[in-house]
Amino acid sequence: MTAPAGASRPDAGVGSGVGRTALLVANARALEARRSGALAVDPFAEHFVRASPGCADWPDDPASVDPDDPLWGRLARYFALRTKVLDEHLLTATGSDTRQVVLLGAGLDSRAHRLPWPPGTTVWELDRPGVLDFKQHVLDGLGAAPSARRRTVPVDLREDWTAALTAAGLDGSRPVAWLAEGLFLYLPAAAELAVATALDRLSAPGSTLAYEVKAAPESPAVRAAPVYAAARRRLGIDLLALFAPGPRPDTAAALTALGWRTTVRTPFDHSPGTLRPEPRDALAANRWVTCVKRRPADRSPAAPPGGGDGRVGVRERG
């Protein structure tokens, strides 16, 4: 069916800029879902990709992908590993008494539909309206039903998002499992700290948080890495232009000062067999941080989900 004149395309929210990076991650998940022994299986990812005409020439068969391809080989495996690690983080958090999950910058995340949530779990998804509209359009076409109560909150996280989240039902007196997957990379330093301090105010003791950052600005040699050139040339995604410029804040230290225990790890700490460091590595500065908000009387809290085994490259605070 042809859209009426003047009507926006269903994929307008993911057609360019940071929105298009959501499709990049979705295609990585779609490829992983078809691999033997997949790290994570997302049955919705391929449908998001197919719904956007701008992705028509993206690969859909992992057997057709060269493992050394910097884009659909190594970077796609990175996203698959990240998906697995963060899935486990959230399921560990909700395996206790946490029944509130908040996905900040949710993008095309389908965790509300594909993970086995405990009864009584609510998942809030926060992102810009266009992204959420595109996702809903695809999910409605599939007749997809979430495995938890799902509430979408259309909001720009650079603005005041906490009022919208509480209006959508979040209870700040109960623990929350927060996830900021692929969000802080694109936020200015001040906005990253603002999001972290704002979520702290909505987090009861026992709340958890997982997020991804780059530890430091990358050198010119790393910025010339093949993965960045491939994304720009083949997908029209200039990741370096989308990443927030300038020094990054030490958000882990800020959260520690607010009473969180934080564990900072590299992607290579999680699965040496899946990803190995390489020269001029665009993944070398990436850090996955997991946190748990301490109870006032708890002087030796348990390590947050997915962290704290004492291996080289693991840094704990608090």
Side-chain angles (χ1 to χ4, degrees):
M1 178 181 297
T2 303
S8 61
R9 281 177 24 182
D11 69 333
V14 295
S16 61
V18 174
R20 190 159 168 81
T21 68
L23 288 167
L24 165 62
V25 177
N27 203 61
R29 288 175 171 159
L31 287 170
E32 185 65 21
R34 294 190 172 192
R35 295 185 196 275
S36 174
L39 295 173
V41 176
D42 183 344
F44 301 95
E46 65 176 295
H47 297 283
F48 295 134
V49 177
R50 289 174 181 172
S52 178
C55 307
D57 60 344
W58 292 9
D60 59 4
D61 181 1
S64 69
V65 174
D66 181 347
D68 294 326
D69 179 347
L71 193 59
W72 298 122
R74 192 166 188 264
L75 185 61
R77 289 293 276 176
Y78 169 82
F79 288 135
L81 178 62
R82 189 181 73 179
T83 299
K84 173 182 182 292
V85 169
L86 297 181
D87 282 357
E88 292 174 351
H89 170 86
L90 291 174
L91 291 177
T92 298
T94 56
S96 56
D97 61 349
T98 300
R99 293 295 179 270
Q100 300 186 111
V101 177
V102 177
L103 308 178
L104 298 169
L108 301 180
D109 187 322
S110 66
R111 289 182 172 95
H113 291 76
R114 65 179 178 79
L115 291 184
W117 301 108
T121 300
T122 301
V123 178
W124 286 265
E125 299 181 8
L126 280 67
D127 212 320
R128 293 175 296 116
V131 175
L132 294 177
D133 287 346
F134 171 74
K135 181 194 289 189
Q136 196 62 54
H137 171 78
V138 175
L139 292 172
D140 287 347
L142 297 172
S147 52
R149 288 191 296 268
R150 175 176 176 256
R151 297 175 180 172
T152 57
V153 183
V155 66
D156 189 322
L157 290 164
R158 295 170 297 181
E159 301 169 356
D160 180 15
W161 51 271
T162 57
L165 180 56
T166 54
L170 186 82
D171 182 355
S173 69
R174 297 167 50 219
V176 183
W178 301 89
L179 177 61
E181 179 182 23
L183 170 65
F184 288 165
L185 304 175
Y186 305 105
L187 292 183
E192 177 182 325
L193 281 174
V195 169
T197 54
L199 71 84
D200 170 70
R201 292 192 292 269
L202 294 177
S203 298
S207 294
T208 62
L209 165 66
Y211 64 91
E212 177 189 30
V213 291
K214 281 191 178 289
E218 293 169 323
S219 69
V222 173
R223 292 172 68 86
V227 65
Y228 291 138
R232 186 170 53 250
R233 183 180 69 256
R234 292 157 55 185
L235 308 184
I237 300 175
D238 190 343
L239 291 169
L240 293 173
L242 294 174
F243 291 158
R248 304 309 305 162
D250 192 343
T251 299
L255 288 166
T256 299
L258 290 170
W260 295 72
R261 182 177 179 184
T262 63
T263 301
V264 183
R265 307 179 79 175
T266 75
F268 311 112
D269 295 322
H270 288 275
S271 181
T274 301
L275 290 173
R276 294 182 176 86
E278 59 182 33
R280 295 190 305 155
D281 199 336
L283 302 180
N286 290 43
R287 298 292 183 269
W288 297 344
V289 186
T290 53
C291 319
V292 62
K293 189 167 186 178
R294 301 169 61 175
R295 294 171 173 81
D298 188 357
R299 296 179 180 272
S300 56
D309 63 2
R311 287 184 292 173
V312 175
V314 178
R315 177 162 54 94
E316 293 191 49
R317 289 173 169 167

